[in-house]
Amino acid sequence: MDNILEVSGLRKSYGNFALKDVAFSLPEGCITGFIGVNGAGKTTTLRTLLRLTDKEAGKIQFFGLDMEQNERQIKDRLGIVLDDGCFYEELSLSEMKSIIAPAYTAWSERDFKQYMDMFSLDPKQKINTLSKGMRMKYALALALSHEAELLIMDEPTSGLDPLVRSQLLKILTEYMSKGGKGVFFSTHITSDLDKIADMLIMIDNGSIVFQEEKDTLLDTYRIVKGDVRALTPDLRKLFLNIYETAFGFTGITKQVAEVQRMLPDAMIERPAIEDIMLGNIEGGNK
Ligand code: ATP
């Protein structure tokens, strides 16, 4: 499997925040979720990758091509959905499309119309009258209408109602079924990823915490529930984090066999991606 994006040593700082030698790669044929809490550095990473903001150091290669030397050629092959969508507010959707479409060699008017209909968007409506969700749908219609090989989306589901969110997940699955494609999307709504992601990359405070296949990740961690009185100092060390109430404790661990040995009566459950994300923020990697 070829990598469609390779990033190494990426640095960018704003005041107290910095991307710290960010490195990861996206294999072809994968939907990759880029997760992290508010302010972790997801948008900064995406904007830096796309050269919308200058990097201080690092190497970025899309499709085996260096981004600095091949930006135009690379962007022709990318579908980009950003939350601030750089549009001229006073134009209609159709007018804005007419400005954007000629930039892409493989623009398909037929695909665009199909997505506009699917999302119930009126081509005559002005951009500055769109709701947040409609704006996201419009950006998505543009990104999907030029045979992009990699879709890069910043929080695409955040302003969408459940119906459109599930439509979007379906569209992404269909898009991937064409083969040779990739999707990279940032989100803190991790339940969307439980359904469709193949790979997960987590960022926290500007550093990559892990890059792992989703199924491997879900097999590695376990949620453990038990009696607070059983929590000896040695047992506590096996957890990334622990929540305690009067009724018991809930903790997340990577050392499930050891926990089971020390606490045979414990209730063990599979985690959701959100549990893994929170475990890695609050307790650090153990
Ligand atoms: P969210 O989920 O809230 O969108 P995020 O993971 O995308 O968060 P970023 O938007 O990348 O996080 O922000 C990371 C940090 O960088 C934050 O502390 C933010 O305040 C800071 N930051 C981002 N852009 C700028 C900027 N243009 N000027 C100054 N600071 C910035």
mmCIF file with all atom_site columns, all heavy atoms in Angstrom, residues 207-223:
data_model
loop_
_atom_site.group_PDB
_atom_site.id
_atom_site.type_symbol
_atom_site.label_atom_id
_atom_site.label_alt_id
_atom_site.label_comp_id
_atom_site.label_asym_id
_atom_site.label_entity_id
_atom_site.label_seq_id
_atom_site.pdbx_PDB_ins_code
_atom_site.Cartn_x
_atom_site.Cartn_y
_atom_site.Cartn_z
_atom_site.occupancy
_atom_site.B_iso_or_equiv
_atom_site.pdbx_formal_charge
_atom_site.auth_seq_id
_atom_site.auth_comp_id
_atom_site.auth_asym_id
_atom_site.auth_atom_id
_atom_site.pdbx_PDB_model_num
ATOM 1   N N   . SER A 1 207 ? 1.543   17.457 19.845 1.00 0.00 ? 207 SER A N   1
ATOM 2   C CA  . SER A 1 207 ? 2.360   16.260 19.593 1.00 0.00 ? 207 SER A CA  1
ATOM 3   C C   . SER A 1 207 ? 1.472   15.100 19.174 1.00 0.00 ? 207 SER A C   1
ATOM 4   O O   . SER A 1 207 ? 0.368   14.929 19.723 1.00 0.00 ? 207 SER A O   1
ATOM 5   C CB  . SER A 1 207 ? 3.092   15.817 20.866 1.00 0.00 ? 207 SER A CB  1
ATOM 6   O OG  . SER A 1 207 ? 3.987   16.807 21.269 1.00 0.00 ? 207 SER A OG  1
ATOM 7   N N   . ILE A 1 208 ? 1.963   14.287 18.243 1.00 0.00 ? 208 ILE A N   1
ATOM 8   C CA  . ILE A 1 208 ? 1.209   13.090 17.857 1.00 0.00 ? 208 ILE A CA  1
ATOM 9   C C   . ILE A 1 208 ? 1.340   12.062 18.987 1.00 0.00 ? 208 ILE A C   1
ATOM 10  O O   . ILE A 1 208 ? 2.460   11.742 19.413 1.00 0.00 ? 208 ILE A O   1
ATOM 11  C CB  . ILE A 1 208 ? 1.752   12.496 16.530 1.00 0.00 ? 208 ILE A CB  1
ATOM 12  C CG1 . ILE A 1 208 ? 1.617   13.512 15.383 1.00 0.00 ? 208 ILE A CG1 1
ATOM 13  C CG2 . ILE A 1 208 ? 1.041   11.183 16.184 1.00 0.00 ? 208 ILE A CG2 1
ATOM 14  C CD1 . ILE A 1 208 ? 0.204   13.885 14.992 1.00 0.00 ? 208 ILE A CD1 1
ATOM 15  N N   . VAL A 1 209 ? 0.195   11.583 19.467 1.00 0.00 ? 209 VAL A N   1
ATOM 16  C CA  . VAL A 1 209 ? 0.199   10.607 20.572 1.00 0.00 ? 209 VAL A CA  1
ATOM 17  C C   . VAL A 1 209 ? 0.253   9.189  20.007 1.00 0.00 ? 209 VAL A C   1
ATOM 18  O O   . VAL A 1 209 ? 0.974   8.337  20.506 1.00 0.00 ? 209 VAL A O   1
ATOM 19  C CB  . VAL A 1 209 ? -1.061  10.773 21.455 1.00 0.00 ? 209 VAL A CB  1
ATOM 20  C CG1 . VAL A 1 209 ? -1.055  9.778  22.596 1.00 0.00 ? 209 VAL A CG1 1
ATOM 21  C CG2 . VAL A 1 209 ? -1.168  12.192 21.975 1.00 0.00 ? 209 VAL A CG2 1
ATOM 22  N N   . PHE A 1 210 ? -0.530  8.918  18.961 1.00 0.00 ? 210 PHE A N   1
ATOM 23  C CA  . PHE A 1 210 ? -0.448  7.613  18.308 1.00 0.00 ? 210 PHE A CA  1
ATOM 24  C C   . PHE A 1 210 ? -0.983  7.702  16.891 1.00 0.00 ? 210 PHE A C   1
ATOM 25  O O   . PHE A 1 210 ? -1.760  8.609  16.559 1.00 0.00 ? 210 PHE A O   1
ATOM 26  C CB  . PHE A 1 210 ? -1.202  6.509  19.082 1.00 0.00 ? 210 PHE A CB  1
ATOM 27  C CG  . PHE A 1 210 ? -2.662  6.760  19.317 1.00 0.00 ? 210 PHE A CG  1
ATOM 28  C CD1 . PHE A 1 210 ? -3.586  6.708  18.274 1.00 0.00 ? 210 PHE A CD1 1
ATOM 29  C CD2 . PHE A 1 210 ? -3.134  7.036  20.597 1.00 0.00 ? 210 PHE A CD2 1
ATOM 30  C CE1 . PHE A 1 210 ? -4.936  6.916  18.498 1.00 0.00 ? 210 PHE A CE1 1
ATOM 31  C CE2 . PHE A 1 210 ? -4.488  7.263  20.831 1.00 0.00 ? 210 PHE A CE2 1
ATOM 32  C CZ  . PHE A 1 210 ? -5.389  7.203  19.774 1.00 0.00 ? 210 PHE A CZ  1
ATOM 33  N N   . GLN A 1 211 ? -0.523  6.770  16.063 1.00 0.00 ? 211 GLN A N   1
ATOM 34  C CA  . GLN A 1 211 ? -1.139  6.492  14.756 1.00 0.00 ? 211 GLN A CA  1
ATOM 35  C C   . GLN A 1 211 ? -1.334  4.991  14.734 1.00 0.00 ? 211 GLN A C   1
ATOM 36  O O   . GLN A 1 211 ? -0.361  4.237  14.865 1.00 0.00 ? 211 GLN A O   1
ATOM 37  C CB  . GLN A 1 211 ? -0.240  6.922  13.598 1.00 0.00 ? 211 GLN A CB  1
ATOM 38  C CG  . GLN A 1 211 ? -0.684  6.272  12.288 1.00 0.00 ? 211 GLN A CG  1
ATOM 39  C CD  . GLN A 1 211 ? -0.177  6.957  11.031 1.00 0.00 ? 211 GLN A CD  1
ATOM 40  O OE1 . GLN A 1 211 ? 0.710   7.775  11.074 1.00 0.00 ? 211 GLN A OE1 1
ATOM 41  N NE2 . GLN A 1 211 ? -0.767  6.589  9.909  1.00 0.00 ? 211 GLN A NE2 1
ATOM 42  N N   . GLU A 1 212 ? -2.563  4.546  14.578 1.00 0.00 ? 212 GLU A N   1
ATOM 43  C CA  . GLU A 1 212 ? -2.833  3.110  14.706 1.00 0.00 ? 212 GLU A CA  1
ATOM 44  C C   . GLU A 1 212 ? -4.073  2.747  13.915 1.00 0.00 ? 212 GLU A C   1
ATOM 45  O O   . GLU A 1 212 ? -4.983  3.569  13.762 1.00 0.00 ? 212 GLU A O   1
ATOM 46  C CB  . GLU A 1 212 ? -3.061  2.816  16.199 1.00 0.00 ? 212 GLU A CB  1
ATOM 47  C CG  . GLU A 1 212 ? -3.076  1.379  16.587 1.00 0.00 ? 212 GLU A CG  1
ATOM 48  C CD  . GLU A 1 212 ? -1.749  0.671  16.354 1.00 0.00 ? 212 GLU A CD  1
ATOM 49  O OE1 . GLU A 1 212 ? -0.853  0.766  17.207 1.00 0.00 ? 212 GLU A OE1 1
ATOM 50  O OE2 . GLU A 1 212 ? -1.638  0.009  15.297 1.00 0.00 ? 212 GLU A OE2 1
ATOM 51  N N   . GLU A 1 213 ? -4.124  1.521  13.432 1.00 0.00 ? 213 GLU A N   1
ATOM 52  C CA  . GLU A 1 213 ? -5.370  1.055  12.809 1.00 0.00 ? 213 GLU A CA  1
ATOM 53  C C   . GLU A 1 213 ? -6.452  1.004  13.881 1.00 0.00 ? 213 GLU A C   1
ATOM 54  O O   . GLU A 1 213 ? -6.172  0.599  15.021 1.00 0.00 ? 213 GLU A O   1
ATOM 55  C CB  . GLU A 1 213 ? -5.161  -0.343 12.215 1.00 0.00 ? 213 GLU A CB  1
ATOM 56  C CG  . GLU A 1 213 ? -4.442  -0.275 10.895 1.00 0.00 ? 213 GLU A CG  1
ATOM 57  C CD  . GLU A 1 213 ? -4.250  -1.642 10.268 1.00 0.00 ? 213 GLU A CD  1
ATOM 58  O OE1 . GLU A 1 213 ? -5.080  -2.537 10.534 1.00 0.00 ? 213 GLU A OE1 1
ATOM 59  O OE2 . GLU A 1 213 ? -3.270  -1.796 9.541  1.00 0.00 ? 213 GLU A OE2 1
ATOM 60  N N   . LYS A 1 214 ? -7.657  1.385  13.519 1.00 0.00 ? 214 LYS A N   1
ATOM 61  C CA  . LYS A 1 214 ? -8.726  1.484  14.517 1.00 0.00 ? 214 LYS A CA  1
ATOM 62  C C   . LYS A 1 214 ? -8.957  0.149  15.233 1.00 0.00 ? 214 LYS A C   1
ATOM 63  O O   . LYS A 1 214 ? -9.059  0.104  16.457 1.00 0.00 ? 214 LYS A O   1
ATOM 64  C CB  . LYS A 1 214 ? -10.027 1.946  13.851 1.00 0.00 ? 214 LYS A CB  1
ATOM 65  C CG  . LYS A 1 214 ? -11.172 2.113  14.833 1.00 0.00 ? 214 LYS A CG  1
ATOM 66  C CD  . LYS A 1 214 ? -12.469 2.466  14.139 1.00 0.00 ? 214 LYS A CD  1
ATOM 67  C CE  . LYS A 1 214 ? -13.035 1.268  13.401 1.00 0.00 ? 214 LYS A CE  1
ATOM 68  N NZ  . LYS A 1 214 ? -14.269 1.572  12.679 1.00 0.00 ? 214 LYS A NZ  1
ATOM 69  N N   . ASP A 1 215 ? -9.011  -0.936 14.456 1.00 0.00 ? 215 ASP A N   1
ATOM 70  C CA  . ASP A 1 215 ? -9.319  -2.230 15.072 1.00 0.00 ? 215 ASP A CA  1
ATOM 71  C C   . ASP A 1 215 ? -8.232  -2.654 16.060 1.00 0.00 ? 215 ASP A C   1
ATOM 72  O O   . ASP A 1 215 ? -8.521  -3.204 17.118 1.00 0.00 ? 215 ASP A O   1
ATOM 73  C CB  . ASP A 1 215 ? -9.516  -3.304 13.991 1.00 0.00 ? 215 ASP A CB  1
ATOM 74  C CG  . ASP A 1 215 ? -10.765 -3.034 13.169 1.00 0.00 ? 215 ASP A CG  1
ATOM 75  O OD1 . ASP A 1 215 ? -11.618 -2.251 13.635 1.00 0.00 ? 215 ASP A OD1 1
ATOM 76  O OD2 . ASP A 1 215 ? -10.883 -3.588 12.054 1.00 0.00 ? 215 ASP A OD2 1
ATOM 77  N N   . THR A 1 216 ? -6.975  -2.375 15.715 1.00 0.00 ? 216 THR A N   1
ATOM 78  C CA  . THR A 1 216 ? -5.861  -2.707 16.617 1.00 0.00 ? 216 THR A CA  1
ATOM 79  C C   . THR A 1 216 ? -5.993  -1.889 17.899 1.00 0.00 ? 216 THR A C   1
ATOM 80  O O   . THR A 1 216 ? -5.814  -2.409 19.014 1.00 0.00 ? 216 THR A O   1
ATOM 81  C CB  . THR A 1 216 ? -4.512  -2.378 15.932 1.00 0.00 ? 216 THR A CB  1
ATOM 82  O OG1 . THR A 1 216 ? -4.498  -2.988 14.665 1.00 0.00 ? 216 THR A OG1 1
ATOM 83  C CG2 . THR A 1 216 ? -3.330  -2.831 16.757 1.00 0.00 ? 216 THR A CG2 1
ATOM 84  N N   . LEU A 1 217 ? -6.321  -0.618 17.707 1.00 0.00 ? 217 LEU A N   1
ATOM 85  C CA  . LEU A 1 217 ? -6.457  0.277  18.858 1.00 0.00 ? 217 LEU A CA  1
ATOM 86  C C   . LEU A 1 217 ? -7.577  -0.209 19.788 1.00 0.00 ? 217 LEU A C   1
ATOM 87  O O   . LEU A 1 217 ? -7.413  -0.280 21.001 1.00 0.00 ? 217 LEU A O   1
ATOM 88  C CB  . LEU A 1 217 ? -6.788  1.667  18.318 1.00 0.00 ? 217 LEU A CB  1
ATOM 89  C CG  . LEU A 1 217 ? -6.434  2.869  19.153 1.00 0.00 ? 217 LEU A CG  1
ATOM 90  C CD1 . LEU A 1 217 ? -4.951  2.937  19.429 1.00 0.00 ? 217 LEU A CD1 1
ATOM 91  C CD2 . LEU A 1 217 ? -6.872  4.123  18.422 1.00 0.00 ? 217 LEU A CD2 1
ATOM 92  N N   . LEU A 1 218 ? -8.710  -0.575 19.180 1.00 0.00 ? 218 LEU A N   1
ATOM 93  C CA  . LEU A 1 218 ? -9.843  -1.014 19.996 1.00 0.00 ? 218 LEU A CA  1
ATOM 94  C C   . LEU A 1 218 ? -9.556  -2.350 20.678 1.00 0.00 ? 218 LEU A C   1
ATOM 95  O O   . LEU A 1 218 ? -10.131 -2.662 21.712 1.00 0.00 ? 218 LEU A O   1
ATOM 96  C CB  . LEU A 1 218 ? -11.123 -1.102 19.140 1.00 0.00 ? 218 LEU A CB  1
ATOM 97  C CG  . LEU A 1 218 ? -11.647 0.239  18.619 1.00 0.00 ? 218 LEU A CG  1
ATOM 98  C CD1 . LEU A 1 218 ? -12.832 0.040  17.676 1.00 0.00 ? 218 LEU A CD1 1
ATOM 99  C CD2 . LEU A 1 218 ? -12.058 1.171  19.762 1.00 0.00 ? 218 LEU A CD2 1
ATOM 100 N N   . ASP A 1 219 ? -8.642  -3.135 20.098 1.00 0.00 ? 219 ASP A N   1
ATOM 101 C CA  . ASP A 1 219 ? -8.258  -4.405 20.729 1.00 0.00 ? 219 ASP A CA  1
ATOM 102 C C   . ASP A 1 219 ? -7.230  -4.206 21.847 1.00 0.00 ? 219 ASP A C   1
ATOM 103 O O   . ASP A 1 219 ? -7.050  -5.073 22.689 1.00 0.00 ? 219 ASP A O   1
ATOM 104 C CB  . ASP A 1 219 ? -7.641  -5.349 19.684 1.00 0.00 ? 219 ASP A CB  1
ATOM 105 C CG  . ASP A 1 219 ? -8.700  -5.986 18.812 1.00 0.00 ? 219 ASP A CG  1
ATOM 106 O OD1 . ASP A 1 219 ? -9.883  -5.932 19.200 1.00 0.00 ? 219 ASP A OD1 1
ATOM 107 O OD2 . ASP A 1 219 ? -8.349  -6.523 17.746 1.00 0.00 ? 219 ASP A OD2 1
ATOM 108 N N   . THR A 1 220 ? -6.522  -3.083 21.798 1.00 0.00 ? 220 THR A N   1
ATOM 109 C CA  . THR A 1 220 ? -5.418  -2.862 22.742 1.00 0.00 ? 220 THR A CA  1
ATOM 110 C C   . THR A 1 220 ? -5.910  -2.382 24.106 1.00 0.00 ? 220 THR A C   1
ATOM 111 O O   . THR A 1 220 ? -5.338  -2.705 25.132 1.00 0.00 ? 220 THR A O   1
ATOM 112 C CB  . THR A 1 220 ? -4.442  -1.799 22.159 1.00 0.00 ? 220 THR A CB  1
ATOM 113 O OG1 . THR A 1 220 ? -4.052  -2.225 20.863 1.00 0.00 ? 220 THR A OG1 1
ATOM 114 C CG2 . THR A 1 220 ? -3.212  -1.616 23.032 1.00 0.00 ? 220 THR A CG2 1
ATOM 115 N N   . TYR A 1 221 ? -6.978  -1.584 24.078 1.00 0.00 ? 221 TYR A N   1
ATOM 116 C CA  . TYR A 1 221 ? -7.455  -0.969 25.327 1.00 0.00 ? 221 TYR A CA  1
ATOM 117 C C   . TYR A 1 221 ? -8.701  -1.682 25.853 1.00 0.00 ? 221 TYR A C   1
ATOM 118 O O   . TYR A 1 221 ? -9.473  -2.254 25.084 1.00 0.00 ? 221 TYR A O   1
ATOM 119 C CB  . TYR A 1 221 ? -7.834  0.498  25.084 1.00 0.00 ? 221 TYR A CB  1
ATOM 120 C CG  . TYR A 1 221 ? -6.655  1.388  24.769 1.00 0.00 ? 221 TYR A CG  1
ATOM 121 C CD1 . TYR A 1 221 ? -6.174  1.496  23.468 1.00 0.00 ? 221 TYR A CD1 1
ATOM 122 C CD2 . TYR A 1 221 ? -6.039  2.134  25.766 1.00 0.00 ? 221 TYR A CD2 1
ATOM 123 C CE1 . TYR A 1 221 ? -5.100  2.317  23.166 1.00 0.00 ? 221 TYR A CE1 1
ATOM 124 C CE2 . TYR A 1 221 ? -4.965  2.968  25.473 1.00 0.00 ? 221 TYR A CE2 1
ATOM 125 C CZ  . TYR A 1 221 ? -4.506  3.055  24.176 1.00 0.00 ? 221 TYR A CZ  1
ATOM 126 O OH  . TYR A 1 221 ? -3.450  3.869  23.880 1.00 0.00 ? 221 TYR A OH  1
ATOM 127 N N   . ARG A 1 222 ? -8.891  -1.627 27.168 1.00 0.00 ? 222 ARG A N   1
ATOM 128 C CA  . ARG A 1 222 ? -10.117 -2.141 27.776 1.00 0.00 ? 222 ARG A CA  1
ATOM 129 C C   . ARG A 1 222 ? -10.574 -1.193 28.879 1.00 0.00 ? 222 ARG A C   1
ATOM 130 O O   . ARG A 1 222 ? -9.762  -0.595 29.579 1.00 0.00 ? 222 ARG A O   1
ATOM 131 C CB  . ARG A 1 222 ? -9.891  -3.543 28.392 1.00 0.00 ? 222 ARG A CB  1
ATOM 132 C CG  . ARG A 1 222 ? -9.820  -4.671 27.360 1.00 0.00 ? 222 ARG A CG  1
ATOM 133 C CD  . ARG A 1 222 ? -11.179 -4.911 26.705 1.00 0.00 ? 222 ARG A CD  1
ATOM 134 N NE  . ARG A 1 222 ? -11.132 -5.897 25.648 1.00 0.00 ? 222 ARG A NE  1
ATOM 135 C CZ  . ARG A 1 222 ? -10.862 -5.653 24.364 1.00 0.00 ? 222 ARG A CZ  1
ATOM 136 N NH1 . ARG A 1 222 ? -10.598 -4.430 23.971 1.00 0.00 ? 222 ARG A NH1 1
ATOM 137 N NH2 . ARG A 1 222 ? -10.864 -6.614 23.470 1.00 0.00 ? 222 ARG A NH2 1
ATOM 138 N N   . ILE A 1 223 ? -11.919 -1.114 29.004 1.00 0.00 ? 223 ILE A N   1
ATOM 139 C CA  . ILE A 1 223 ? -12.523 -0.382 30.119 1.00 0.00 ? 223 ILE A CA  1
ATOM 140 C C   . ILE A 1 223 ? -12.742 -1.395 31.248 1.00 0.00 ? 223 ILE A C   1
ATOM 141 O O   . ILE A 1 223 ? -13.249 -2.494 30.996 1.00 0.00 ? 223 ILE A O   1
ATOM 142 C CB  . ILE A 1 223 ? -13.908 0.185  29.716 1.00 0.00 ? 223 ILE A CB  1
ATOM 143 C CG1 . ILE A 1 223 ? -13.780 1.149  28.545 1.00 0.00 ? 223 ILE A CG1 1
ATOM 144 C CG2 . ILE A 1 223 ? -14.633 0.803  30.890 1.00 0.00 ? 223 ILE A CG2 1
ATOM 145 C CD1 . ILE A 1 223 ? -13.370 2.531  28.928 1.00 0.00 ? 223 ILE A CD1 1
#
